[in-house]
Amino acid sequence: TNFYAEQGGQECDTGSLVLSDMSAEFTVENVEVSNGYVLHTGFLKFGSIKVGDSVEAQYDVQRRLPIRNNHSATHVLNHALRQVLRDEQPDQKGSLVAPDHLRFDFSCKNAIKPEEIREIEAICNKAVLDNLTVYAKEVPLSEAREIQGLRAVFGEVYPDPVRVVSIGADIDAILKNPKSPEWETYSIEFCGGTHVGRTSDIAAFAITEESSISKGVRRIIAVTGEEARQAQLLQRSLASEVKRLHALSGAELDSEIKRLDKILATAAISVYEKHLLRSEFDEIRKKVAEADKAAKALAAKQAMDQVQQTIEQNPGQDVFVVQLPVAGKVMAQVSTYVKGLKNKAVYFIAVDGPRVAHQCVVGKPLVQRGLKANEWAKCVSDIVGGKNGGKEESAQGSGVDVSKVDEAIKAAEEFVKTHLN
């Protein structure tokens, strides 16, 4: 059969078995080797097929082409890992070659640095640009094992003769001098899978994921061809969006930061390029956070100063209703300050985004004169809506109608006139 059966990490071919007179077609969904037979499994699309019929085996070329690209790229990646992570002496621990990506597991004790990812990716893309010839030949197993720098999966049982795949070095030349250290500079492996004729067919290579999957084993996921080009286009688009953040401010900047943060987390782009984008993005977000923190601290200080000055400038006044420029922690700070005065009552209201934050503190002497915080807060809450609660000396609420803040302030002032004896 010309169908490739799933083995060696490479997914199988799919396609059709068509009767010679075109009267029947069997759709092949899976191909595997079992007890020396190649099994083609699937379903009869139309017609009927019986033992002895002659069929034409037609594998899906458009599916095989990207699988072929990814398999050759896996060999290039394996060789690049040995060059960059030489001290780790990485060994293959598993692989998957699919139409839309490749996956490669390998031994490695330490995390791979972003700069190492960049170097690995660069070596792979250089191999693509160098347009190296990919050689494949069946070689007696004993001779093949003598090749310097040859890679094989530990524990794997190989046939004799075994198929050798070399990228960039003619196998006949290799066999003339198998012990030459020169062969360590090439990707040479035992492999029965499908491959490109030249590395330029791979078109492009991008590592989109790198992670630890168990102790001492790491995993790389990469894409080639059209998927790699799409990753490059997405990276450029995201780079433009991150740079655009420098020109934004206020709510628009906050919104874009939240949106891009989610996109960057899942973007299928080069790991190293994502590292660069994330570094620039995080620096922008840090500056925004620091500026926001400073602005809130300033607003909080201004709010506290406002309350203190209002009370100090009116020593004969016992009750105040104040609109603050900010809500949040400053309300707790102002509340603590007023409680410390013991004989004052202050109602403070602030617009907090789409809500109205309000809180009041009433000194015990004023409670005894009829001004109770929980009743005062209910008066305001009846106007701005939302919830309220508290006790006689302290109460708070959260309203839902910011358009009625001015009305609520007047109501709070009127409440004092009718309840304070």
Side-chain angles (χ1 to χ4, degrees):
T1 179
N2 56 354
F3 278 75
Y4 183 83
E6 182 172 347
Q7 56 188 328
Q10 178 177 326
E11 290 190 359
C12 68
D13 284 328
T14 60
S16 302
L17 301 179
V18 183
L19 215 59
S20 55
D21 62 0
M22 305 293 289
S23 64
E25 180 179 334
F26 181 85
T27 298
V28 179
E29 297 180 305
N30 187 51
V31 184
E32 56 186 300
V33 176
S34 178
N35 296 323
Y37 292 93
V38 179
L39 305 181
H40 302 66
T41 56
F43 63 92
L44 187 64
K45 190 173 182 180
F46 64 84
S48 62
I49 296 177
K50 63 182 183 298
V51 175
D53 283 346
S54 176
V55 296
E56 181 178 330
Q58 303 173 349
Y59 64 81
D60 185 343
V61 176
Q62 296 307 310
R63 172 181 164 83
R64 180 183 281 192
L65 287 177
I67 289 178
R68 182 196 66 169
N69 295 349
N70 287 336
H71 203 150
S72 295
T74 300
H75 285 218
V76 173
L77 171 62
N78 192 3
H79 187 251
L81 288 169
R82 282 187 289 150
Q83 295 178 68
V84 178
L85 307 178
R86 189 177 298 275
D87 293 341
E88 291 279 354
Q89 296 183 335
D91 275 324
Q92 181 176 342
K93 295 298 180 181
S95 67
L96 172 70
V97 180
D100 58 347
H101 73 283
L102 64 94
R103 187 182 72 208
F104 192 76
D105 302 338
F106 56 98
S107 61
C108 184
K109 295 178 182 178
N110 301 307
I112 303 178
K113 300 174 184 176
E115 294 74 19
E116 292 173 325
I117 292 287
R118 177 185 60 180
E119 188 177 355
I120 292 165
E121 198 171 71
I123 290 173
C124 292
N125 277 306
K126 183 180 183 302
V128 172
L129 292 173
D130 286 345
N131 194 24
L132 304 172
T133 300
V134 178
Y135 299 89
K137 184 175 183 177
E138 288 195 344
V139 178
L141 186 59
S142 59
E143 291 183 36
R145 290 191 183 278
E146 295 298 313
I147 299 173
Q148 187 76 15
L150 179 135
R151 302 295 285 178
V153 178
F154 179 77
E156 186 79 14
V157 177
Y158 292 98
D160 190 5
V162 64
R163 187 167 180 260
V164 177
V165 174
S166 169
I167 299 179
D170 190 320
I171 295 175
D172 289 332
I174 293 172
L175 294 175
K176 290 177 181 178
N177 187 13
K179 291 297 186 180
S180 172
E182 177 188 356
W183 310 136
E184 292 188 1
T185 62
Y186 295 92
S187 167
I188 307 172
E189 298 189 30
F190 289 162
C191 182
T194 58
H195 287 273
V196 297
R198 302 189 71 87
T199 53
S200 60
D201 293 342
I202 297 170
F205 178 91
I207 296 173
T208 56
E209 290 183 41
E210 190 282 319
S211 62
S212 171
I213 59 170
S214 64
K215 185 177 180 180
V217 179
R218 303 195 71 82
R219 170 172 290 173
I220 281 178
I221 294 178
V223 292
T224 66
E226 183 58 29
E227 284 77 14
R229 289 196 181 98
Q230 290 300 319
Q232 292 170 351
L233 290 174
L234 177 58
Q235 182 273 324
R236 290 169 192 154
S237 173
L238 290 175
S240 296
E241 292 198 56
V242 171
K243 290 191 182 302
R244 179 173 166 270
L245 294 177
H246 292 286
L248 302 180
S249 60
E252 186 180 8
L253 176 58
D254 292 338
S255 176
E256 281 299 284
I257 284 177
K258 291 177 182 177
R259 184 183 70 85
L260 277 177
D261 188 31
K262 293 179 180 178
I263 293 174
L264 283 172
T266 58
I269 62 175
S270 163
V271 169
Y272 180 71
E273 295 298 335
K274 182 184 286 191
H275 163 72
L276 294 181
L277 284 179
R278 177 58 77 175
S279 297
E280 182 180 357
F281 175 83
D282 287 345
E283 187 62 30
I284 294 171
R285 182 166 58 180
K286 180 182 177 182
K287 289 180 180 178
V288 170
E290 289 174 348
D292 183 59
K293 183 179 179 181
K296 287 181 178 178
L298 177 61
K301 183 180 184 304
Q302 291 174 338
M304 180 63 78
D305 290 345
Q306 176 188 350
V307 174
Q308 288 178 331
Q309 290 172 9
T310 300
I311 293 175
E312 290 171 359
Q313 290 171 3
N314 299 276
Q317 186 175 332
D318 293 328
V319 182
F320 303 85
V321 178
V322 181
Q323 182 174 357
L324 299 178
V326 291
K329 292 182 179 179
V330 67
M331 282 195 161
Q333 294 170 355
V334 173
S335 175
T336 300
Y337 166 71
V338 176
K339 286 178 181 178
L341 299 176
K342 299 185 184 301
N343 61 347
K344 301 289 183 181
V346 180
Y347 207 121
F348 26 94
I349 301 175
V351 174
D352 187 18
R355 305 189 70 83
V356 179
H358 56 101
Q359 188 170 344
C360 58
V361 176
V362 181
K364 188 171 290 187
L366 298 174
V367 172
Q368 294 170 349
R369 290 172 55 189
L371 183 60
K372 298 179 181 179
N374 53 342
E375 296 176 354
W376 204 8
K378 184 179 183 305
C379 163
V380 171
S381 193
D382 286 344
I383 295 172
V384 297
K387 299 179 179 179
N388 70 92
K391 299 180 180 179
E392 292 183 344
E393 294 182 24
S394 178
Q396 59 284 321
S398 178
V400 295
D401 192 345
V402 297
S403 68
K404 293 186 176 181
V405 168
D406 290 340
E407 183 182 343
I409 291 173
K410 290 179 181 178
E413 292 171 340
E414 290 299 320
F415 184 88
V416 175
K417 294 177 183 179
T418 58
H419 286 75
L420 184 63
N421 299 321

